[in-house]
Amino acid sequence: LARLLSVIEDGSGASAAVARLTYRTTPPYVVGLTGPPGAGKSTLVDQLVSLARQGWPGAPDEPARPVDAIGVLAVDPSSPMSGGAFLADRVRMQRHADDEGVFIRSMATRGHLGGLSRAVPDAVRALGAAGIGLVVIETVGVGQIEVEVAAAADTTIVVVNPGWGDSLQAAKAGLLEVADIFVVNKADRPGASEAATDLSQMLALNPPDGWTPPIVETVGVSGEGIDTLLEEVARHRRYLEDTGSLAARRADRARHELERVVAARLDERFFEVVASARFAEAVQSLAAGTSDPYEMAEQLIARS
Ligand SMILES: Nc1nc2c(ncn2[C@@H]2O[C@H](COP(=O)(O)OP(=O)(O)O)[C@@H](O)[C@H]2O)c(=O)[nH]1
Ligand SMILES: [Mg+2]
């Protein structure tokens, strides 16, 4: 699985490798955590994983559903400078190192544009094929990336800290858009309830239809509030399942994924065509005025 994820991360030969994958079970449930650096995402993931290993909370009158294995993907969009951050993530999640039911992996984009959005669905597919039922994706919330990673998740958790009320309105709006659950982490520090109030006021101004994101206060370092957070994730999952939104979201995601793959393939095809000898010949005859571009384009696309 580690080697397969390297191939996926690298981009080389990924499509061939992924083509051989099939889900052994249903697709994994994907929880995304995003937020600014240092907000406590890794600390929370570590706590969440420990708790989720004991079972996936059921409805109030339902027993906990077992969780066989959990995969963690720490995705860093700013790869060249992320060595230190990854090391910190590793240390924070160290206590799962001996747990065979937890697979932790850091992924970087190696700088190619769109690499992340391509690699993440493939990585989730690989984890699912390995029998992992729950995947947690941690990513730094920086603009477009968080939206892309949120698009790969069934439940997106946005992590903020006390003092968040001071951040830029535009940045706030972006996070508001992707959040299914808000976490005010570092609730041991002053300003946590103000941050929560600020969030609920923003939500009241832009009331979402259907699901209203709950706001959970946590202390990552002590584990306070983690049980509530996991229950809210489970509640959101039940909401998505009961309303049919999970299937709809996944269909939506599948469409976008396939569109991207088709677009990439067409792009490659374009370069194949324009690099071909037949294209060079067609250019000559067009320059000489002996043919029309439309007819030639059709022929080139059809069989070069
Ligand atoms: N005081 C306090 N510190 C925390 C809390 N949660 C995490 N931290 C600390 O915040 C720092 C950054 O945490 P980390 O999980 O690496 O943040 P990430 O960059 O979002 O993954 C670490 O030193 C953590 O120990 C919390 O609830 N309260
Ligand atoms: Mg981290």
Side-chain angles (χ1 to χ4, degrees):
L1 183 55
R3 286 217 297 273
L4 179 57
L5 288 174
S6 295
V7 171
I8 288 170
E9 186 177 34
D10 209 47
S12 59
S15 56
V18 172
R20 287 179 178 79
L21 289 176
T22 43
Y23 278 113
R24 211 173 64 181
T25 53
T26 46
Y29 195 80
V30 182
V31 175
L33 253 104
T34 189
K41 298 180 296 298
S42 299
T43 311
L44 290 170
V45 169
D46 180 68
Q47 297 277 12
L48 268 178
V49 165
S50 298
L51 198 60
R53 282 290 280 148
Q54 297 165 34
W56 182 258
D61 52 351
E62 198 182 81
R65 296 189 228 175
V67 174
D68 291 336
I70 301 178
V72 176
L73 292 177
V75 179
D76 198 315
S78 54
S79 60
M81 289 161 291
S82 64
F86 279 166
L87 212 57
D89 286 346
R90 281 279 159 76
V91 170
R92 264 189 260 305
M93 299 181 193
Q94 193 58 42
R95 64 186 166 132
H96 301 296
D98 297 329
D99 184 347
E100 286 199 352
V102 180
F103 184 91
I104 299 174
R105 172 69 186 221
S106 301
M107 284 184 90
T109 57
R110 305 261 160 87
H112 50 90
L113 205 66
L116 190 69
S117 49
R118 271 213 309 270
V120 167
D122 284 347
V124 170
R125 187 163 293 125
L127 293 168
I132 284 171
L134 173 62
V135 175
V136 182
I137 304 176
E138 174 191 335
T139 186
V140 178
V142 280
Q144 189 54 31
I145 303 292
E146 80 212 13
V147 177
E148 278 178 22
V149 173
D154 297 311
T155 297
T156 299
I157 302 172
V158 168
V159 183
V160 299
N161 292 141
W164 124 286
D166 311 330
S167 48
L168 284 174
Q169 215 59 31
K172 289 197 210 177
L175 290 176
L176 215 60
E177 206 172 290
V178 300
D180 296 308
I181 297 172
F182 276 109
V183 167
V184 179
N185 188 47
K186 305 195 183 179
D188 54 324
R189 296 200 177 153
S193 58
E194 286 86 340
T197 305
D198 191 65
L199 278 171
S200 58
Q201 279 168 355
M202 285 194 69
L203 286 172
L205 284 176
N206 315 276
D209 44 54
W211 173 262
T212 302
I215 301 159
V216 183
E217 293 185 30
T218 58
V219 182
V221 282
S222 72
E224 214 175 303
I226 303 298
D227 48 351
T228 309
L229 177 56
L230 188 59
E231 274 162 26
E232 291 294 359
V233 174
R235 192 167 69 84
H236 183 244
R237 179 185 185 164
R238 285 197 299 277
Y239 166 83
L240 293 179
E241 286 170 351
D242 294 349
T243 55
S245 317
L246 186 61
R249 269 193 192 201
R250 288 182 167 178
D252 230 35
R253 196 189 302 164
R255 182 178 310 110
H256 284 130
E257 191 187 345
L258 195 53
E259 278 174 5
R260 271 202 304 268
V261 175
V262 169
R265 187 63 198 96
L266 288 177
D267 224 39
E268 279 170 26
R269 182 92 181 101
F270 169 77
F271 286 106
E272 279 168 25
V273 168
V274 299
S276 69
R278 294 178 58 249
F279 186 84
E281 287 164 20
V283 169
Q284 292 303 324
S285 66
L286 181 60
T290 57
S291 62
D292 82 279
Y294 304 101
E295 176 60 26
M296 280 191 305
E298 288 300 332
Q299 285 177 12
L300 286 166
I301 293 166
R303 53 172 191 100
S304 79

